[in-house]
Amino acid sequence: MAMTSPNAATTARLAPPVGPVPPANPVLRVPPASPAVAAAYFGASLAFHADVSDVASALAADGDPGFVVVDSRSTASWDQGHIPGAVHLPTALIPAQAARLLDPAVPVVTYCWGPGCNGATRAALALAQLGYQVKEMLGGFEYWAREGFAYETWQGGERRTADPLTAPADDADCGC
C-alpha cells in the first residue's frame, strides 16, 4: 500500500493553530490597552476636552465658571449663532488679538461648528502655543444648539428643542 501525503487543505484543517488566534470580530482584532495605559489615555483626553453639557452647566451656575469660551469661527458663522458670552476670535486672528481679548491666567474653551470641523482644535493649538491653558469643546456649536441650549444670532436670542439623539428628552442630566 502506497503512502500519500495529505494536501495543504487537509494539513491546515488538522494542524493546531500556531500563535495567537485572531479574534472573530474587528473590535478585538487589536486588543484593548492595559488598564493603566487606558487610564492615562482617558485622563489625558479629559484634560484636553470638555463636553457641551458640562460647559453649559458651568456657564449657567452662579458665579464665575473659571474659564472663557472662544468661538473660533468666521464672522458670518458667529452671526448665524454663538454661545452667549463667548468671545469671538477667529483662528487666523489668534496670534494678533489673543493678548488683547484674553487673560492668560484664565483657561480657555474653544469651539467651532461641530464634530466634522477641526477649527476648535486648530484654535486650541494656536492658543496653547501662545501660553494659554486650553480645552476644546466637543460637539461645537452644532451640539450646543442640538442639545437645546440658548444661543445668540445677529437678530437676537434663540433656542431649539433638544434633539433626543443628543440630549435626554425628559431630564436635564444625561447621567454621564
Side-chain angles (χ1 to χ4, degrees), residues 57-79:
S57 176
L59 293 176
D62 291 333
D64 180 0
F67 61 88
V68 63
V69 178
V70 168
D71 184 318
S72 64
R73 301 171 303 146
S74 69
T75 299
S77 299
W78 168 268
D79 287 346

Side-chain angles (χ1 to χ4, degrees), residues 34-55:
S34 71
V37 170
Y41 172 83
F42 293 117
S45 178
L46 292 172
F48 298 113
H49 301 110
D51 99 354
V52 166
S53 60
D54 289 343
V55 171

Side-chain angles (χ1 to χ4, degrees), residues 112-123:
C112 61
W113 271 114
C117 175
N118 67 1
T121 305
R122 288 192 308 271

